[in-house]
Each structure stands twice: as structure tokens, then as C-alpha cells.
Amino acid sequence: MMRQKIVLFGDSLTEQSIRENGWGVPLANAYSRRADVLVRGYGGYNTRWALFLLHHLFPLDSTKPPVATTIFFGANDAALTGRTSERQHVPVQEYKENLRKTVLHLKDCSPIMEIVLITPPPLCEEGRQAYAISLYGENASKLPERTNEVTGQYANACVEIAKEMGVWYINLWSKMQETDGWQKKFLSDGLHLTAEGNTVVYEEVIKVFNEAGLSPDKMPFDFPHHSKIDYKHPERAFQQNICDIQL
Amino acid sequence: MMRQKIVLFGDSLTEQSIRENGWGVPLANAYSRRADVLVRGYGGYNTRWALFLLHHLFPLDSTKPPVATTIFFGANDAALTGRTSERQHVPVQEYKENLRKTVLHLKDCSPIMEIVLITPPPLCEEGRQAYAISLYGENASKLPERTNEVTGQYANACVEIAKEMGVWYINLWSKMQETDGWQKKFLSDGLHLTAEGNTVVYEEVIKVFNEAGLSPDKMPFDFPHHSKIDYKHPERAFQQNICDIQL
């Protein structure tokens, strides 16, 4: 039994998923001995730059494409023009087109891959401002470099693409705002996730994976549980159900 | 630039490394965007059973063998005969021979792989007894199924093999006992690791990896940091230094 792969593709919100309290940790643990959760998170990246990675991360001739991939971009695309993070800005129409290209590429890579689009989380302008002041003091720009309203446009665009292309989606922007105090409860600097914010992402992702038939308890272990090994004849436990397990 | 692989091979002490507070989490984070840390931990396994996995996990014809592998067995091998965990027992001479075979296989797999043998941690008999009572109450066996003294023999054997074969080792059994109160500070049930125990393992492993020239900051990112991307000509950042990146 070859161990499956689940890929988390995105920006810093994905790169940081493997940190302490990150959403990738409980996910990797849930699929322990069943699937490898591979983090492909690139801090600061927008969808325009992510396109350059597609053929490298998801080669079309792969013999073992991922069984599922999350695509979690938009927080950087939504940076405003004329402000301090302008270089990361991608117009919302191009963002949609880039997501469409990304989904198409993954479908080309594997027609049975479960694809999950995740919208950017909501944005707290006060939190961003406080963070800028913590870095630059009085030199911090007074003008927001991102707004929740604009980020919401990207979230809507992401959901539209998911519906258009028939893939899974998580509207994190809406979901998080259902909770009072989301600004500080879920966001550490107005943009990145607190431990509780990471928990929301984990719970939403595992819910979608369960719906998609990728519930961990439905996936086989790569090797027998130790209780299944006859200690007088251990070889018997390893003679069956092993095909081509490779790293 | 192909992303490197670091494999953690072992029993439950490795399987649990990807849990919250597990030693694999800070390790994976340290190598973020540089190497994948792949957990190959099999709870309850001893070295005898682990031998059945070698050719599957580390195929000799692999074109991308791990750059480093930790081998962390012995806690189960050291279970006592005639006690409740007897089925997991492996005589210490066979344990040595199994470790030797494992190291030889990995060297065959890749002559440049950094191999790190980790001894079992010390064992707290009182902690094991309390754990047995929590599970079985009055029916819990009064006789210890593992002792620290016997586990120490396996730790010594592990170190001997490492020296004999010229590979790295971490004498966790000795290291942890240098700290007063190791019994509860580092062990949750007399055998498995607390958060602080996991921290010890992480710190010892990253220390060895640094000594072995695998310091994360000496390994290249798989793709450019976003600050290196010319936003007017992003393609330029992706034209260089990219060979064959595959998952």
C-alpha cells in the first residue's frame, strides 16, 4: 500500500501551518501512518508568482500525484496598490484567472485529486496598523496596506472559481467573521493566524476531507498495527497487502 | 533545486513526534521550504518487525534517498520476557544485530546519508505502574514490564553499534537522566515523552544535524524568497537554480 500524499499549497498562512499550533500539525497527525501531509507554503507569494511553481510542484507526468491539495492564496493578492505592500498586489480578475489556471493544472495532474480552494481570512486593519507600528514606530505608514473589504472581494472571487470549476471550497473570510471578536481571537497581527485561528482552518479542512471521502479512518495504515503482528510468526503480517511503498 | 528529505524512523516515540508538542514539529518547521521531514513511526514496533519495512521505506533503487534518517528503536525491544509486554521483547544481542542490519541497509541506500541512532529514553517504573493502574485498576500487573536498568542495556548496545559503524548517535537514556526529576519532567507515562521530553529530543537531533552539515540555514530554499522577486519581472526569479523539483 503506497502512502498517499496531501499537499498544502499557499502563502505564509500555509508556510506557517507546520509551526507550533499551526493547522498543518493536527492534520498531519490525523493522517499519521496513512498519508504524508506536505507543506508547500511560500510566504509573501501571490497567485501570479505561484503559477511559476505549478509544473515543479505538480509535474504532469507524476506517477503518484497527491490525493488532495489545498490552495490557499489571496491574502497577498489583495494588498492595495499605492500602499506599502503594493508589489504583492494582483488585480482581482487576474487572481481569479490565476486560480482557474491552478485548478486546471491540478486536474490535469490528476483527475481524481480532491481540490480545496481556501479564501483568505478576514483582515483587521487595526491589527495591521499596530503591527506596522511595532516594526517601524512613527515611520509606519498611516494608510492601510490591506482592507477587510477588499480582501472580501478576493474571497468572493475564490468561491466563484470553486463553484465554476466544481471543486471544494472553504470561505474562511465569512466563517471567521461569524465569531465575535474574530479580529484578535483568530488573527495575531491582523492577517496571520493565532492558535485559535489555526484551529478553525484545521477543523474546516478536515471537515471537507471527510466529506470528500478522505476521512483518515477510511484510509488504510501503510503497515500493520503492532497488535496484528503474530509475534511467533511476524513475517505473516508483512506478506499481505504490501505493494510498492516508497517515500 | 530538489527539496531534500529527512526521515524519522522508529516506534511510537517517533510516531508521536508529529503530535502537538512533538519533536518532529519544530524539526519540520526548522527545515521549512528546505527539506520535508517525513515521519515513519510505528507504535509498538521493535527492531525485529522494523526489518520488514526497510526495503519498502528505503528502496535501494531510489533516485532520491533521504539526506538524513533518524533510527529510534529499543523501547519495545527492552520489554521484559514473562511480563505483560513480552510479545514485543527482542534479546539485546538480536537488537544490536537488527540495528546493524538497518544501518547497513541505509548505507546501501545512500552512502552519503547522515544516519542518527537514538537510544531509547530512560524508563520510570513507577510511571509505568501508575499508567497500568489507570488502565486496568486492581487487575494491573504488579510486576514491571520494563525496567530502567534493562532499557539502559539496550541504550548501551545502540551506542556501541553507532560507534562500530561510524554513524551519529544520541544517548537519550543518559542525557535525560542528567536532569533531576527526569521521571516526570520528561516522561508522561514512564515511557512516552512529555512536551519537555520532546524538546530534549528536538534539541539533540538538530544539534547533530548541525554538526553533520545539515544546518537549515546552509540548505537552499526550494524557491526564491518573495523579497527576491522583481515584481515587474517575476519570471527572472524563476529562471535560475530550478532543476527538477518533484514532490
Side-chain angles (χ1 to χ4, degrees):
Chain A
M1 184 64 59
M2 183 194 286
R3 198 190 283 223
Q4 304 280 13
K5 286 185 299 206
I6 294 171
V7 175
L8 314 183
F9 184 40
D11 54 30
S12 57
L13 298 166
T14 295
E15 182 177 338
Q16 295 175 6
S17 70
I18 196 64
R19 285 191 189 172
E20 192 183 347
N21 297 319
W23 60 278
V25 175
L27 200 65
N29 189 44
Y31 287 93
S32 171
R33 298 178 65 173
R34 294 175 157 107
D36 286 322
V37 172
L38 299 176
V39 177
R40 295 293 178 268
Y42 299 90
Y45 273 52
N46 54 35
T47 53
R48 187 187 291 164
W49 303 341
L51 290 184
F52 290 100
L53 312 184
L54 281 182
H55 281 270
H56 300 290
L57 296 180
F58 306 96
L60 292 180
D61 60 353
S62 173
T63 55
K64 5 174 218 180
V67 68
T69 300
T70 59
I71 305 171
F72 189 4
F73 285 102
N76 297 314
D77 301 62
L80 303 179
T81 52
R83 303 290 168 81
T84 54
S85 296
E86 174 177 23
R87 62 189 295 281
Q88 292 167 290
H89 170 76
V90 170
V92 69
Q93 282 307 316
E94 183 189 335
Y95 169 71
K96 284 183 76 167
E97 187 54 31
N98 292 341
L99 284 184
R100 190 182 283 117
K101 286 178 184 167
T102 302
V103 171
L104 277 176
H105 180 86
L106 293 189
K107 287 188 170 193
D108 277 353
C109 185
S110 163
I112 59 168
M113 191 192 305
E114 302 290 348
I115 299 170
V116 186
L117 281 171
I118 307 177
T119 77
L123 188 122
C124 172
E125 292 168 40
E126 292 73 19
R128 288 311 281 165
Q129 183 64 18
Y131 176 68
I133 289 171
S134 77
L135 288 182
Y136 307 112
E138 291 187 0
N139 296 324
S141 170
K142 300 291 183 295
L143 297 171
E145 32 91 64
R146 290 168 170 87
T147 65
N148 193 40
E149 185 186 352
V150 168
T151 298
Q153 294 166 11
Y154 287 74
N156 287 339
C158 178
V159 170
E160 283 172 25
I161 288 293
K163 289 181 176 170
E164 171 194 317
M165 307 196 72
V167 298
W168 302 94
Y169 69 90
I170 295 167
N171 192 336
L172 199 60
W173 189 82
S174 291
K175 178 74 192 174
M176 285 188 162
Q177 292 183 78
E178 291 171 6
T179 299
D180 283 342
W182 57 268
Q183 293 90 339
K184 291 196 171 176
K185 191 179 184 66
F186 296 144
L187 304 174
S188 62
D189 59 2
L191 170 59
H192 296 94
L193 303 170
T194 60
E196 280 178 292
N198 273 288
T199 298
V200 173
V201 178
Y202 165 68
E203 287 175 349
E204 293 297 311
V205 169
I206 196 77
K207 191 160 68 180
V208 167
F209 283 174
N210 285 338
E211 284 181 45
L214 293 178
S215 168
D217 54 16
K218 288 186 188 161
M219 297 173 85
F221 268 3
D222 59 350
F223 289 107
H225 189 271
H226 78 88
S227 63
K228 307 286 184 194
I229 301 173
D230 177 350
Y231 77 101
K232 291 186 178 165
H233 300 283
E235 70 284 357
R236 291 179 183 168
F238 296 95
Q239 282 162 349
Q240 299 171 326
N241 299 321
I242 292 181
C243 306
D244 181 32
I245 300 149
Q246 295 205 325
L247 286 176
Chain B
M1 185 64 60
M2 183 195 285
R3 197 188 282 223
Q4 304 280 12
K5 285 186 299 206
I6 294 170
V7 175
L8 314 182
F9 184 40
D11 54 31
S12 58
L13 298 166
T14 294
E15 182 177 339
Q16 295 175 7
S17 70
I18 196 64
R19 285 192 188 170
E20 190 182 348
N21 297 320
W23 60 278
V25 176
L27 200 66
N29 190 43
Y31 287 94
S32 170
R33 297 178 65 173
R34 293 175 157 107
D36 286 321
V37 172
L38 299 177
V39 177
R40 295 293 178 269
Y42 300 89
Y45 274 51
N46 54 34
T47 53
R48 186 186 292 164
W49 303 340
L51 291 183
F52 290 101
L53 312 185
L54 281 183
H55 281 269
H56 299 289
L57 296 180
F58 306 96
L60 292 180
D61 60 352
S62 173
T63 54
K64 4 173 220 181
V67 68
T69 300
T70 59
I71 304 172
F72 190 3
F73 285 101
N76 296 315
D77 301 61
L80 302 180
T81 52
R83 303 289 167 82
T84 54
S85 296
E86 173 177 25
R87 62 189 295 279
Q88 292 167 291
H89 170 76
V90 171
V92 69
Q93 283 306 319
E94 183 189 335
Y95 169 72
K96 283 183 77 167
E97 187 55 32
N98 292 341
L99 284 184
R100 192 182 282 115
K101 285 178 185 168
T102 302
V103 171
L104 278 176
H105 180 85
L106 294 188
K107 288 188 170 193
D108 278 352
C109 185
S110 163
I112 60 168
M113 191 191 305
E114 302 291 347
I115 299 170
V116 186
L117 281 171
I118 307 176
T119 78
L123 188 121
C124 172
E125 291 169 39
E126 291 74 18
R128 289 311 282 163
Q129 183 63 18
Y131 176 68
I133 290 171
S134 77
L135 288 182
Y136 308 113
E138 292 186 359
N139 296 324
S141 170
K142 300 289 182 294
L143 297 170
E145 33 92 61
R146 290 168 169 88
T147 66
N148 193 40
E149 186 187 352
V150 169
T151 299
Q153 295 167 9
Y154 287 73
N156 288 339
C158 178
V159 170
E160 284 172 25
I161 289 292
K163 289 180 176 171
E164 171 194 318
M165 307 196 73
V167 300
W168 303 94
Y169 68 89
I170 295 167
N171 192 335
L172 199 61
W173 188 83
S174 292
K175 177 75 192 172
M176 284 187 161
Q177 291 183 80
E178 291 171 7
T179 299
D180 282 342
W182 58 269
Q183 294 89 340
K184 291 197 171 175
K185 191 179 184 70
F186 296 144
L187 304 174
S188 62
D189 59 4
L191 170 60
H192 296 94
L193 304 169
T194 60
E196 280 178 292
N198 273 288
T199 298
V200 173
V201 178
Y202 165 67
E203 287 175 349
E204 293 297 311
V205 170
I206 196 78
K207 191 161 67 180
V208 167
F209 283 174
N210 285 338
E211 284 181 45
L214 293 177
S215 169
D217 54 15
K218 289 186 186 159
M219 296 173 86
F221 268 2
D222 59 349
F223 290 107
H225 189 270
H226 78 88
S227 64
K228 308 286 185 192
I229 300 172
D230 176 350
Y231 77 102
K232 291 187 179 167
H233 301 283
E235 71 285 356
R236 291 179 184 168
F238 297 96
Q239 283 163 349
Q240 299 170 330
N241 299 322
I242 293 182
C243 304
D244 181 33
I245 301 150
Q246 296 204 324
L247 287 175

